Amino acid sequence: MKLFKEYPATHSMSTAWYCVDEDGNVGIFDIDDDGPVPVNDYKQNEVNEVFWEDFSSEGEDIIKSLNLSEEQVKPMLAEPYDERGVWEQDKYGCGNPAWMEVIIKIDMSKYDVLLQAASLEKDHYYHPKCISMNQGLFYVDFFFNKKGVELLEDNHVILAKYKAPYYETPFYDSEPDEIKHIERNIQKFPLFIYHQDYCPNYEPATRLTNPKYPLRIEQLPKNIQETIKKLPLKFKEHDRIQLAELLPVEGIWSPRYVYNNRIWWQLASSKEGKIYYNVSTRTIIQGEKMDSLLAEGKAEEWDYHKHKDVSY
């Protein structure tokens, strides 16, 4: 049996940046560690952490709440999950993968038992999130909470169990069944998700989801509503987005060129072709223009020994 648990700190190569579009629909960009990401908005986390943690609000008790509609919750219940699993010891403690990132439907007359079970989890990161009080639906991650699970089961609190939405980076060289599993999980999220591969010069961010009932800015916690950035486009109309074309970005890692005594990063255009972006001036040279500059000898590929003193 596969028995392991990832921790928030292990996602060292993940950068999840969230925003809204002109219609107020919420989107998350899954961009690997080297960007590009908007200036001053670099977040060392990942999609699941943003959705389940950042987008949930503190409630009156230990359980946080996600403000979702019934239409947004329904796709999350597409995969019933009856596996019980077993508790096994690993280097971190006693864990049960059948209780990792699941949604449970409970008998709401026994809500106080769920509260008691949640209080047995010492790490607040793994406290339950309410996704529908009316339907008695809660996201839980009790991978380590053996006593809490036993409390729920002994008191017959759980009416049904489902695999919760879980985001994994879609590596398209994986086995076909694994790709289908990853894609099926991603589609459960009620928001637009864009993914950009590690080498940003190959492709811009590509849309992975197109939800029928997307999460809206007014459903987010107040502190996020007040600070979230708006992109000047509509997610439904763009399956490819190059952030550098829309707002100042940083953290780029791709081929470099030198022109006018500055370094220009090669990026993929949201359309076809390439663009070249300078971090300091936050300006773009279109691919055709840079091709002309290279042909005329006014620009050249960056070389460490030759251009180590060239400014960004």
Side-chain angles (χ1 to χ4, degrees):
M1 176 180 291
K2 182 179 180 181
L3 183 60
F4 70 94
K5 178 67 178 173
E6 288 190 328
Y7 294 83
T10 65
H11 297 287
S12 60
M13 299 307 290
S14 295
T15 301
W17 181 78
Y18 51 84
C19 54
V20 294
D21 67 4
E22 291 179 337
D23 290 334
N25 296 319
V26 179
I28 295 181
F29 284 80
D30 169 40
I31 300 175
D32 285 318
D33 206 32
D34 289 310
V37 291
V39 174
N40 300 324
D41 277 277
Y42 188 87
K43 293 178 175 61
Q44 196 75 2
N45 53 15
E46 43 91 40
V47 172
N48 300 298
E49 183 177 356
V50 169
F51 184 75
W52 296 113
E53 291 296 320
D54 293 4
F55 289 175
S56 60
S57 302
E58 297 288 350
E60 297 179 356
D61 45 48
I62 196 172
I63 296 177
K64 291 184 176 183
S65 179
L66 272 165
N67 183 16
L68 303 176
S69 69
E70 289 190 11
E71 292 86 359
Q72 292 166 342
V73 170
K74 186 176 180 180
M76 299 184 182
L77 311 180
E79 193 175 354
Y81 188 63
D82 297 326
E83 183 179 343
R84 292 178 62 85
V86 295
W87 294 91
E88 295 185 9
Q89 195 76 23
D90 68 4
K91 63 181 179 179
Y92 301 111
C94 189
N96 186 338
W99 277 92
M100 184 192 304
E101 296 133 358
V102 295
I103 291 173
I104 56 173
K105 181 180 178 65
I106 72 166
D107 179 346
M108 284 300 291
S109 69
K110 300 175 181 179
Y111 177 71
D112 60 328
V113 182
L114 177 61
L115 287 175
Q116 187 179 351
S119 69
L120 297 173
E121 175 56 69
K122 302 305 180 183
D123 190 338
H124 72 89
Y125 183 82
Y126 300 115
H127 286 163
K129 314 294 186 299
C130 177
I131 64 173
S132 175
M133 190 65 76
N134 290 336
Q135 300 179 69
L137 295 169
F138 298 84
Y139 168 85
V140 298
D141 190 335
F142 283 171
F143 180 81
F144 291 126
N145 193 356
K146 187 173 187 291
K147 291 183 178 179
V149 170
E150 290 174 344
L151 189 64
L152 295 176
E153 292 177 340
D154 291 345
N155 287 275
H156 308 288
V157 174
I158 303 165
L159 302 177
K161 190 176 174 186
Y162 309 89
K163 282 300 291 181
Y166 183 80
Y167 181 84
E168 297 177 74
T169 300
F171 294 110
Y172 292 105
D173 58 348
S174 302
E175 293 296 324
D177 288 347
E178 180 65 17
I179 293 174
K180 289 180 180 178
H181 169 75
I182 291 172
E183 291 177 341
R184 186 169 63 246
N185 253 328
I186 293 174
Q187 298 306 317
K188 297 177 186 176
F189 283 100
L191 73 169
F192 292 91
I193 299 176
Y194 287 80
H195 169 71
Q196 182 161 319
D197 285 329
Y198 183 77
C199 297
N201 56 299
Y202 295 152
E203 293 289 340
T206 302
R207 190 181 62 204
L208 302 180
T209 61
N210 192 9
K212 185 176 181 180
Y213 303 102
L215 192 68
R216 306 270 310 157
I217 184 173
E218 57 266 24
Q219 294 178 267
L220 299 177
K222 292 295 184 183
N223 64 310
I224 292 182
Q225 291 186 40
E226 294 168 355
T227 59
I228 195 168
K229 281 189 171 66
K230 178 187 287 187
L231 296 187
L233 48 70
K234 298 179 181 181
F235 294 137
K236 284 186 176 292
E237 298 175 355
H238 294 268
D239 57 2
R240 292 156 53 95
I241 292 177
Q242 174 54 260
L243 288 175
E245 295 174 340
L246 302 174
L247 71 176
V249 299
E250 60 187 358
I252 300 168
W253 184 259
S254 58
R256 287 168 280 185
Y257 292 78
V258 175
Y259 166 66
N260 200 24
N261 206 36
R262 291 193 180 278
I263 293 175
W264 300 78
W265 300 94
Q266 177 185 297
L267 299 172
S269 168
S270 60
K271 304 176 180 63
E272 296 297 326
K274 304 168 185 175
I275 62 171
Y276 296 82
Y277 182 80
N278 179 255
V279 175
S280 299
T281 62
R282 300 172 183 173
T283 55
I284 289 173
I285 294 177
Q286 295 298 324
E288 298 82 357
K289 175 65 174 177
M290 182 63 78
D291 289 342
S292 297
L293 294 171
L294 289 167
E296 296 168 7
K298 296 179 180 179
E300 59 186 346
E301 291 187 36
W302 179 86
D303 177 86
Y304 171 76
H305 298 288
K306 184 177 181 180
H307 303 118
K308 60 182 178 181
D309 296 324
V310 174
S311 172
Y312 280 91

